[in-house]
Amino acid sequence: MKRSIKMVLAASALVAFGAAEAQAQQAKPEEVLALRKGVYQVIRASFGPLAGFADGKVQLDAAKAQLLGTRLAAVAPMAAEVFPTDSDFVAGSKAKPEIWSKPADFKAKMDAFQTAAAKLADAAKAGNLEAVKAAVPDVGKACKACHEDFREK
């Protein structure tokens, strides 16, 4: 648990200072992969409970939904930033080369994810748990669409 809290704090700090892309572009390959994995761990840790809530498997109150939704929306822009130009060489990554050969398609999928995450966060900020449940499928669809085209199985 302490490790995930540290990951969240680290990712939040990167968002606040807009440093993810710059760090990824200047980092060693293993650092690029670590940053990439960290960002996606925060996304998973934020969205997982919200998806479970929408499925009726997890209980969340409005405050927890707001925290998770806000975190998801804050980290969503970093999802694209951790795939800088010329980082297709990173060993151990599940990223497909199409991220770099089809950048417009990748950007469109990332934009859809960010939009869906922002809508979910807005519903959570309003304290509307039914709207949160209704917003979850759009985030899930955005994730799946990107994974289908740009992530190795």
Side-chain angles (χ1 to χ4, degrees):
M1 185 66 163
K2 288 182 182 180
R3 184 175 177 180
S4 66
I5 291 170
K6 288 180 183 177
M7 284 286 239
V8 169
L9 292 174
S12 297
L14 289 174
V15 170
F17 297 107
E21 184 173 14
Q23 182 179 351
Q25 288 177 341
Q26 298 172 359
K28 296 176 186 173
E30 61 274 8
E31 292 169 341
V32 170
L33 185 58
L35 178 61
R36 192 177 290 167
K37 286 182 175 184
V39 167
Y40 281 90
Q41 282 181 324
V42 173
I43 290 170
R44 185 178 25 239
S46 302
F47 183 63
L50 291 163
F53 174 67
D55 288 340
K57 297 176 183 174
V58 174
Q59 294 295 317
L60 292 180
D61 60 18
K64 184 67 173 183
Q66 181 177 0
L67 171 72
L68 295 170
T70 300
R71 183 184 308 143
L72 179 66
V75 176
M78 291 177 67
E81 293 172 0
V82 294
F83 295 93
T85 304
D86 297 327
S87 69
D88 54 333
F89 60 86
V90 177
S93 175
K94 293 184 179 180
K96 288 183 176 180
E98 286 81 1
I99 290 173
W100 297 275
S101 66
K102 299 178 181 179
D105 291 345
F106 182 65
K107 181 182 181 329
K109 298 260 167 91
M110 286 292 166
D111 288 348
F113 167 61
Q114 289 175 38
T115 299
K119 287 180 182 177
L120 190 153
D122 289 344
K125 286 177 190 173
N128 186 338
L129 294 177
E130 290 306 312
V132 169
K133 286 181 183 180
V136 164
D138 289 339
V139 176
K141 288 175 191 172
C143 291
K144 184 178 180 182
C146 194
H147 284 197
E148 287 177 348
D149 292 342
F150 298 109
R151 183 175 187 251
E152 297 290 341
K153 306 282 186 243

